[in-house]
Amino acid sequence: MEWMVGESPTDLISVSTGNSTEYSDRQKVDAKRRLLDLVNKGVEATLVQLLETGLIHADPHPGNLRCTSSGEIGFLDFGLLCQMEKRHQFAMLASIVHIVNGDWASLVNALIDMDMVRPGTNIRLVTMELEQALGEVEFKDGIPDVKFSRVLGKILSVAFKYHFRMPAYYTLVLRSLASFEGLAIAADKKFKTFEAAYPYVVRKLLTENSAATRKILHSVLLNRKKEFQWQRLSLFLRVGATRKALQLVTSNSETSPDQSPNKAAGTFDIAYLILTILPSKDGVALRRLLMTAV
């Protein structure tokens, strides 16, 4: 047991959204920054638990979270934990990737691997329903420009219609991610869980050399004719090199995309990512992938 001191998300929300007489603008900006930092770290912590350890803190409500003085996220109350099987971990990883890439047939296969789809279900109809429900989602820089809760709602509507099973681990993981999104939206209505989570997912796929991750990568980067899709790889590298800096509340500081210095920085980040990964021990998957393409 360890005593943990820190601010709760509820306190940070209270300060960041408080009236102008109670808190200064600087206090509001700082509280918002710390809250969004906590949420981003919480999303990444959930993904680490989901994709690395398989042991998940399944009840991250505001009362169970703390923002410590050192800027770390603290979890309290481990009374509700979820242990996942390895195959379910990779199936959930695959489902995130397939949603982003609009590959509904592969998404259904991932749901089957999660033990959600009952035997005898009409897979073709389920695929069509998912495409109809999620096909309207817009993308920004290769990432769904939509709230996680909305995507989840659309998937659940199809799941209920076709009487999917809802394994405990599945509902608890989604609840965890949705909880963090709810916290963030209280301070920043433009927050997107996919935007916070997907760079971690991409980096895992590019650096983990396992049969499961290679299978997911190949499903994304090779078409049905086994032809390499360079545009997809370029997008993967761009997302993997994203710097998830928090956006502070500033006045009169908007910069047009054409004038933004982030373009040059983004190109540098991609080059840096490639040069860092390729010669390293974590670059086996990427080296194999490039050899496949040549």
Side-chain angles (χ1 to χ4, degrees):
M1 298 289 289
E2 180 181 347
W3 182 261
M4 183 174 293
V5 178
E7 295 176 287
S8 75
T10 304
D11 294 336
L12 294 174
I13 291 173
S14 178
V15 174
S16 64
T17 59
N19 61 59
S20 57
T21 59
E22 189 175 0
Y23 302 105
S24 68
D25 289 342
R26 175 175 290 185
Q27 287 176 309
K28 291 181 181 180
V29 169
D30 186 58
K32 178 179 179 179
R33 177 189 61 79
R34 282 181 287 151
L35 177 62
L36 293 179
D37 184 49
L38 179 143
V39 169
N40 275 277
K41 288 176 178 175
V43 170
E44 185 167 335
T46 299
L47 290 171
V48 169
Q49 295 168 45
L50 167 63
L51 303 176
E52 303 290 346
T53 68
L55 185 63
I56 300 169
H57 187 298
D59 194 21
H61 62 73
N64 284 342
L65 300 171
R66 290 294 183 272
C67 178
T68 69
S69 58
S70 60
E72 298 176 329
I73 182 173
F75 288 85
L76 307 177
D77 187 1
F78 288 81
L80 184 58
L81 296 175
C82 174
Q83 181 74 58
M84 292 182 64
E85 296 181 28
K86 204 70 176 177
R87 64 189 182 93
H88 291 154
Q89 290 177 260
F90 284 116
M92 289 206 76
L93 173 64
S95 69
I96 296 172
V97 175
H98 297 321
I99 289 172
V100 170
N101 285 284
D103 188 346
W104 314 120
S106 294
L107 174 59
V108 173
N109 288 331
L111 296 176
I112 292 173
D113 291 340
M114 289 183 217
D115 296 329
M116 292 180 62
V117 182
R118 297 179 185 276
T121 301
N122 190 321
I123 302 302
R124 181 172 172 273
L125 285 180
V126 171
T127 303
M128 292 173 60
E129 290 269 6
L130 285 172
E131 182 174 4
Q132 184 176 4
L134 297 171
E136 63 186 36
V137 173
E138 296 182 357
F139 290 78
K140 180 181 179 182
D141 296 328
I143 299 176
D145 189 26
V146 65
K147 290 180 174 56
F148 176 76
S149 54
R150 185 182 171 199
V151 172
L152 176 59
K154 289 179 177 292
I155 292 176
L156 289 179
S157 66
V158 176
F160 290 141
K161 181 176 181 178
Y162 289 92
H163 307 289
F164 283 11
R165 288 185 288 248
M166 288 294 164
Y169 76 84
Y170 181 78
T171 54
L172 291 173
V173 168
L174 297 186
R175 174 189 175 188
S176 179
L177 291 172
S179 295
F180 280 114
E181 182 173 80
L183 282 175
I185 291 174
D188 181 4
K189 297 187 183 302
K190 295 181 180 179
F191 180 86
K192 304 290 193 306
T193 299
F194 279 110
E195 187 175 347
Y198 203 55
Y200 179 88
V201 171
V202 170
R203 283 177 181 268
K204 181 172 180 65
L205 288 176
L206 290 175
T207 58
E208 181 172 311
N209 183 36
S210 69
T213 52
R214 287 199 302 271
K215 180 180 178 181
I216 297 171
L217 259 183
H218 287 179
S219 71
V220 173
L221 300 178
L222 300 177
N223 61 22
R224 293 182 179 179
K225 296 181 180 180
K226 301 301 180 182
E227 296 170 334
F228 199 85
Q229 301 182 86
W230 287 100
Q231 287 183 331
R232 286 276 181 89
L233 177 60
S234 174
L235 178 61
F236 250 56
L237 292 173
R238 189 163 69 246
V239 173
T242 299
R243 293 176 175 176
K244 297 188 296 180
L246 297 175
Q247 300 298 314
L248 301 180
V249 179
T250 56
S251 59
N252 302 321
S253 62
E254 293 186 359
T255 307
S256 67
D258 292 336
Q259 297 173 333
S260 172
N262 289 334
K263 273 194 169 183
T267 302
F268 174 81
D269 289 342
I270 293 173
Y272 179 79
L273 178 68
I274 295 174
L275 293 175
T276 301
I277 292 179
L278 271 180
S280 72
K281 64 178 182 180
D282 293 328
V284 176
L286 186 56
R287 290 196 295 271
R288 284 187 173 185
L289 198 62
L290 293 176
M291 289 175 65
T292 302
V294 175

PDB file of all heavy atoms in Angstrom, residues 259-284:
ATOM      1  N   GLN A 259       1.095  28.047 -42.803  1.00  0.00           N
ATOM      2  CA  GLN A 259       2.135  28.823 -42.158  1.00  0.00           C
ATOM      3  C   GLN A 259       2.683  28.136 -40.914  1.00  0.00           C
ATOM      4  O   GLN A 259       3.637  28.604 -40.321  1.00  0.00           O
ATOM      5  CB  GLN A 259       1.579  30.199 -41.753  1.00  0.00           C
ATOM      6  CG  GLN A 259       1.138  31.027 -42.950  1.00  0.00           C
ATOM      7  CD  GLN A 259       0.444  32.298 -42.509  1.00  0.00           C
ATOM      8  OE1 GLN A 259      -0.134  32.360 -41.436  1.00  0.00           O
ATOM      9  NE2 GLN A 259       0.504  33.321 -43.346  1.00  0.00           N
ATOM     10  N   SER A 260       2.069  27.045 -40.517  1.00  0.00           N
ATOM     11  CA  SER A 260       2.457  26.391 -39.272  1.00  0.00           C
ATOM     12  C   SER A 260       3.832  25.761 -39.383  1.00  0.00           C
ATOM     13  O   SER A 260       4.149  25.076 -40.355  1.00  0.00           O
ATOM     14  CB  SER A 260       1.437  25.297 -38.924  1.00  0.00           C
ATOM     15  OG  SER A 260       1.897  24.552 -37.829  1.00  0.00           O
ATOM     16  N   PRO A 261       4.685  25.941 -38.369  1.00  0.00           N
ATOM     17  CA  PRO A 261       6.001  25.304 -38.377  1.00  0.00           C
ATOM     18  C   PRO A 261       5.922  23.812 -38.150  1.00  0.00           C
ATOM     19  O   PRO A 261       6.903  23.115 -38.288  1.00  0.00           O
ATOM     20  CB  PRO A 261       6.720  25.997 -37.208  1.00  0.00           C
ATOM     21  CG  PRO A 261       5.622  26.415 -36.283  1.00  0.00           C
ATOM     22  CD  PRO A 261       4.481  26.785 -37.185  1.00  0.00           C
ATOM     23  N   ASN A 262       4.728  23.305 -37.814  1.00  0.00           N
ATOM     24  CA  ASN A 262       4.591  21.881 -37.536  1.00  0.00           C
ATOM     25  C   ASN A 262       4.799  21.021 -38.776  1.00  0.00           C
ATOM     26  O   ASN A 262       5.052  19.837 -38.679  1.00  0.00           O
ATOM     27  CB  ASN A 262       3.209  21.583 -36.941  1.00  0.00           C
ATOM     28  CG  ASN A 262       3.093  22.107 -35.524  1.00  0.00           C
ATOM     29  OD1 ASN A 262       4.098  22.245 -34.844  1.00  0.00           O
ATOM     30  ND2 ASN A 262       1.886  22.411 -35.106  1.00  0.00           N
ATOM     31  N   LYS A 263       4.630  21.624 -39.965  1.00  0.00           N
ATOM     32  CA  LYS A 263       4.845  20.850 -41.185  1.00  0.00           C
ATOM     33  C   LYS A 263       6.286  20.367 -41.263  1.00  0.00           C
ATOM     34  O   LYS A 263       6.566  19.198 -41.488  1.00  0.00           O
ATOM     35  CB  LYS A 263       4.511  21.702 -42.414  1.00  0.00           C
ATOM     36  CG  LYS A 263       3.047  21.664 -42.808  1.00  0.00           C
ATOM     37  CD  LYS A 263       2.867  22.244 -44.188  1.00  0.00           C
ATOM     38  CE  LYS A 263       1.464  21.973 -44.707  1.00  0.00           C
ATOM     39  NZ  LYS A 263       1.284  22.466 -46.075  1.00  0.00           N
ATOM     40  N   ALA A 264       7.214  21.286 -41.085  1.00  0.00           N
ATOM     41  CA  ALA A 264       8.624  20.913 -41.119  1.00  0.00           C
ATOM     42  C   ALA A 264       8.958  19.990 -39.963  1.00  0.00           C
ATOM     43  O   ALA A 264       9.694  19.016 -40.112  1.00  0.00           O
ATOM     44  CB  ALA A 264       9.494  22.166 -41.074  1.00  0.00           C
ATOM     45  N   ALA A 265       8.396  20.305 -38.798  1.00  0.00           N
ATOM     46  CA  ALA A 265       8.648  19.467 -37.626  1.00  0.00           C
ATOM     47  C   ALA A 265       8.118  18.065 -37.848  1.00  0.00           C
ATOM     48  O   ALA A 265       8.744  17.079 -37.459  1.00  0.00           O
ATOM     49  CB  ALA A 265       7.997  20.090 -36.391  1.00  0.00           C
ATOM     50  N   GLY A 266       6.939  17.959 -38.503  1.00  0.00           N
ATOM     51  CA  GLY A 266       6.359  16.648 -38.766  1.00  0.00           C
ATOM     52  C   GLY A 266       7.234  15.815 -39.679  1.00  0.00           C
ATOM     53  O   GLY A 266       7.435  14.622 -39.457  1.00  0.00           O
ATOM     54  N   THR A 267       7.782  16.443 -40.726  1.00  0.00           N
ATOM     55  CA  THR A 267       8.684  15.733 -41.637  1.00  0.00           C
ATOM     56  C   THR A 267       9.932  15.267 -40.904  1.00  0.00           C
ATOM     57  O   THR A 267      10.402  14.142 -41.084  1.00  0.00           O
ATOM     58  CB  THR A 267       9.088  16.655 -42.806  1.00  0.00           C
ATOM     59  OG1 THR A 267       7.904  17.096 -43.478  1.00  0.00           O
ATOM     60  CG2 THR A 267       9.980  15.921 -43.787  1.00  0.00           C
ATOM     61  N   PHE A 268      10.455  16.130 -40.062  1.00  0.00           N
ATOM     62  CA  PHE A 268      11.635  15.769 -39.274  1.00  0.00           C
ATOM     63  C   PHE A 268      11.325  14.602 -38.341  1.00  0.00           C
ATOM     64  O   PHE A 268      12.131  13.680 -38.193  1.00  0.00           O
ATOM     65  CB  PHE A 268      12.104  16.975 -38.457  1.00  0.00           C
ATOM     66  CG  PHE A 268      13.235  16.652 -37.509  1.00  0.00           C
ATOM     67  CD1 PHE A 268      14.545  16.597 -37.954  1.00  0.00           C
ATOM     68  CD2 PHE A 268      12.965  16.385 -36.171  1.00  0.00           C
ATOM     69  CE1 PHE A 268      15.577  16.287 -37.079  1.00  0.00           C
ATOM     70  CE2 PHE A 268      13.995  16.076 -35.294  1.00  0.00           C
ATOM     71  CZ  PHE A 268      15.308  16.027 -35.751  1.00  0.00           C
ATOM     72  N   ASP A 269      10.136  14.641 -37.723  1.00  0.00           N
ATOM     73  CA  ASP A 269       9.759  13.582 -36.791  1.00  0.00           C
ATOM     74  C   ASP A 269       9.663  12.230 -37.493  1.00  0.00           C
ATOM     75  O   ASP A 269      10.049  11.198 -36.943  1.00  0.00           O
ATOM     76  CB  ASP A 269       8.417  13.910 -36.119  1.00  0.00           C
ATOM     77  CG  ASP A 269       8.551  15.050 -35.119  1.00  0.00           C
ATOM     78  OD1 ASP A 269       9.693  15.332 -34.712  1.00  0.00           O
ATOM     79  OD2 ASP A 269       7.528  15.648 -34.763  1.00  0.00           O
ATOM     80  N   ILE A 270       9.111  12.221 -38.719  1.00  0.00           N
ATOM     81  CA  ILE A 270       9.001  10.972 -39.470  1.00  0.00           C
ATOM     82  C   ILE A 270      10.388  10.424 -39.791  1.00  0.00           C
ATOM     83  O   ILE A 270      10.672   9.238 -39.607  1.00  0.00           O
ATOM     84  CB  ILE A 270       8.194  11.189 -40.773  1.00  0.00           C
ATOM     85  CG1 ILE A 270       6.737  11.522 -40.441  1.00  0.00           C
ATOM     86  CG2 ILE A 270       8.264   9.943 -41.655  1.00  0.00           C
ATOM     87  CD1 ILE A 270       5.910  11.911 -41.646  1.00  0.00           C
ATOM     88  N   ALA A 271      11.262  11.321 -40.278  1.00  0.00           N
ATOM     89  CA  ALA A 271      12.629  10.896 -40.593  1.00  0.00           C
ATOM     90  C   ALA A 271      13.336  10.386 -39.340  1.00  0.00           C
ATOM     91  O   ALA A 271      14.033   9.365 -39.370  1.00  0.00           O
ATOM     92  CB  ALA A 271      13.406  12.064 -41.200  1.00  0.00           C
ATOM     93  N   TYR A 272      13.132  11.098 -38.244  1.00  0.00           N
ATOM     94  CA  TYR A 272      13.762  10.695 -36.980  1.00  0.00           C
ATOM     95  C   TYR A 272      13.233   9.337 -36.529  1.00  0.00           C
ATOM     96  O   TYR A 272      13.995   8.484 -36.062  1.00  0.00           O
ATOM     97  CB  TYR A 272      13.484  11.751 -35.910  1.00  0.00           C
ATOM     98  CG  TYR A 272      14.084  11.420 -34.565  1.00  0.00           C
ATOM     99  CD1 TYR A 272      15.434  11.631 -34.311  1.00  0.00           C
ATOM    100  CD2 TYR A 272      13.293  10.890 -33.547  1.00  0.00           C
ATOM    101  CE1 TYR A 272      15.989  11.321 -33.081  1.00  0.00           C
ATOM    102  CE2 TYR A 272      13.837  10.578 -32.315  1.00  0.00           C
ATOM    103  CZ  TYR A 272      15.185  10.801 -32.087  1.00  0.00           C
ATOM    104  OH  TYR A 272      15.722  10.484 -30.868  1.00  0.00           O
ATOM    105  N   LEU A 273      11.915   9.131 -36.686  1.00  0.00           N
ATOM    106  CA  LEU A 273      11.312   7.860 -36.293  1.00  0.00           C
ATOM    107  C   LEU A 273      11.916   6.709 -37.092  1.00  0.00           C
ATOM    108  O   LEU A 273      12.292   5.673 -36.532  1.00  0.00           O
ATOM    109  CB  LEU A 273       9.795   7.915 -36.510  1.00  0.00           C
ATOM    110  CG  LEU A 273       9.012   6.634 -36.197  1.00  0.00           C
ATOM    111  CD1 LEU A 273       9.027   6.356 -34.701  1.00  0.00           C
ATOM    112  CD2 LEU A 273       7.574   6.748 -36.692  1.00  0.00           C
ATOM    113  N   ILE A 274      12.024   6.896 -38.420  1.00  0.00           N
ATOM    114  CA  ILE A 274      12.567   5.842 -39.276  1.00  0.00           C
ATOM    115  C   ILE A 274      14.023   5.554 -38.925  1.00  0.00           C
ATOM    116  O   ILE A 274      14.427   4.400 -38.761  1.00  0.00           O
ATOM    117  CB  ILE A 274      12.451   6.246 -40.761  1.00  0.00           C
ATOM    118  CG1 ILE A 274      10.973   6.354 -41.162  1.00  0.00           C
ATOM    119  CG2 ILE A 274      13.159   5.230 -41.650  1.00  0.00           C
ATOM    120  CD1 ILE A 274      10.764   6.890 -42.553  1.00  0.00           C
ATOM    121  N   LEU A 275      14.816   6.616 -38.796  1.00  0.00           N
ATOM    122  CA  LEU A 275      16.243   6.444 -38.523  1.00  0.00           C
ATOM    123  C   LEU A 275      16.489   5.862 -37.132  1.00  0.00           C
ATOM    124  O   LEU A 275      17.509   5.217 -36.891  1.00  0.00           O
ATOM    125  CB  LEU A 275      16.965   7.789 -38.664  1.00  0.00           C
ATOM    126  CG  LEU A 275      17.020   8.354 -40.088  1.00  0.00           C
ATOM    127  CD1 LEU A 275      17.638   9.741 -40.084  1.00  0.00           C
ATOM    128  CD2 LEU A 275      17.803   7.419 -41.004  1.00  0.00           C
ATOM    129  N   THR A 276      15.554   6.100 -36.228  1.00  0.00           N
ATOM    130  CA  THR A 276      15.697   5.560 -34.878  1.00  0.00           C
ATOM    131  C   THR A 276      15.299   4.092 -34.822  1.00  0.00           C
ATOM    132  O   THR A 276      15.980   3.265 -34.206  1.00  0.00           O
ATOM    133  CB  THR A 276      14.829   6.364 -33.885  1.00  0.00           C
ATOM    134  OG1 THR A 276      15.243   7.734 -33.902  1.00  0.00           O
ATOM    135  CG2 THR A 276      14.981   5.819 -32.467  1.00  0.00           C
ATOM    136  N   ILE A 277      14.192   3.762 -35.484  1.00  0.00           N
ATOM    137  CA  ILE A 277      13.664   2.400 -35.393  1.00  0.00           C
ATOM    138  C   ILE A 277      14.437   1.412 -36.260  1.00  0.00           C
ATOM    139  O   ILE A 277      14.802   0.323 -35.811  1.00  0.00           O
ATOM    140  CB  ILE A 277      12.170   2.376 -35.782  1.00  0.00           C
ATOM    141  CG1 ILE A 277      11.339   3.106 -34.728  1.00  0.00           C
ATOM    142  CG2 ILE A 277      11.674   0.939 -35.919  1.00  0.00           C
ATOM    143  CD1 ILE A 277       9.863   3.152 -35.050  1.00  0.00           C
ATOM    144  N   LEU A 278      14.701   1.780 -37.520  1.00  0.00           N
ATOM    145  CA  LEU A 278      15.255   0.821 -38.483  1.00  0.00           C
ATOM    146  C   LEU A 278      16.500   0.082 -37.984  1.00  0.00           C
ATOM    147  O   LEU A 278      16.556  -1.147 -38.051  1.00  0.00           O
ATOM    148  CB  LEU A 278      15.547   1.519 -39.811  1.00  0.00           C
ATOM    149  CG  LEU A 278      14.400   1.546 -40.823  1.00  0.00           C
ATOM    150  CD1 LEU A 278      14.834   2.261 -42.094  1.00  0.00           C
ATOM    151  CD2 LEU A 278      13.920   0.140 -41.149  1.00  0.00           C
ATOM    152  N   PRO A 279      17.531   0.782 -37.497  1.00  0.00           N
ATOM    153  CA  PRO A 279      18.742   0.055 -37.088  1.00  0.00           C
ATOM    154  C   PRO A 279      18.658  -0.576 -35.703  1.00  0.00           C
ATOM    155  O   PRO A 279      19.564  -1.303 -35.301  1.00  0.00           O
ATOM    156  CB  PRO A 279      19.823   1.151 -37.112  1.00  0.00           C
ATOM    157  CG  PRO A 279      19.080   2.421 -36.870  1.00  0.00           C
ATOM    158  CD  PRO A 279      17.695   2.235 -37.393  1.00  0.00           C
ATOM    159  N   SER A 280      17.572  -0.322 -34.978  1.00  0.00           N
ATOM    160  CA  SER A 280      17.474  -0.802 -33.600  1.00  0.00           C
ATOM    161  C   SER A 280      16.893  -2.213 -33.550  1.00  0.00           C
ATOM    162  O   SER A 280      16.373  -2.735 -34.536  1.00  0.00           O
ATOM    163  CB  SER A 280      16.597   0.144 -32.775  1.00  0.00           C
ATOM    164  OG  SER A 280      15.242   0.015 -33.159  1.00  0.00           O
ATOM    165  N   LYS A 281      16.949  -2.802 -32.364  1.00  0.00           N
ATOM    166  CA  LYS A 281      16.376  -4.136 -32.186  1.00  0.00           C
ATOM    167  C   LYS A 281      14.860  -4.111 -32.328  1.00  0.00           C
ATOM    168  O   LYS A 281      14.235  -5.144 -32.608  1.00  0.00           O
ATOM    169  CB  LYS A 281      16.760  -4.695 -30.819  1.00  0.00           C
ATOM    170  CG  LYS A 281      16.199  -3.919 -29.635  1.00  0.00           C
ATOM    171  CD  LYS A 281      16.594  -4.559 -28.311  1.00  0.00           C
ATOM    172  CE  LYS A 281      15.990  -3.796 -27.135  1.00  0.00           C
ATOM    173  NZ  LYS A 281      16.360  -4.413 -25.833  1.00  0.00           N
ATOM    174  N   ASP A 282      14.258  -2.926 -32.132  1.00  0.00           N
ATOM    175  CA  ASP A 282      12.811  -2.797 -32.292  1.00  0.00           C
ATOM    176  C   ASP A 282      12.405  -2.608 -33.748  1.00  0.00           C
ATOM    177  O   ASP A 282      11.217  -2.513 -34.050  1.00  0.00           O
ATOM    178  CB  ASP A 282      12.295  -1.600 -31.479  1.00  0.00           C
ATOM    179  CG  ASP A 282      12.420  -1.818 -29.981  1.00  0.00           C
ATOM    180  OD1 ASP A 282      12.308  -2.984 -29.552  1.00  0.00           O
ATOM    181  OD2 ASP A 282      12.631  -0.836 -29.250  1.00  0.00           O
ATOM    182  N   GLY A 283      13.386  -2.542 -34.641  1.00  0.00           N
ATOM    183  CA  GLY A 283      13.082  -2.275 -36.040  1.00  0.00           C
ATOM    184  C   GLY A 283      12.920  -3.510 -36.893  1.00  0.00           C
ATOM    185  O   GLY A 283      12.803  -3.410 -38.119  1.00  0.00           O
ATOM    186  N   VAL A 284      12.909  -4.691 -36.263  1.00  0.00           N
ATOM    187  CA  VAL A 284      12.804  -5.938 -37.031  1.00  0.00           C
ATOM    188  C   VAL A 284      11.528  -5.963 -37.861  1.00  0.00           C
ATOM    189  O   VAL A 284      11.545  -6.297 -39.054  1.00  0.00           O
ATOM    190  CB  VAL A 284      12.851  -7.162 -36.093  1.00  0.00           C
ATOM    191  CG1 VAL A 284      12.635  -8.446 -36.886  1.00  0.00           C
ATOM    192  CG2 VAL A 284      14.173  -7.214 -35.348  1.00  0.00           C
TER     193      VAL A 284
END
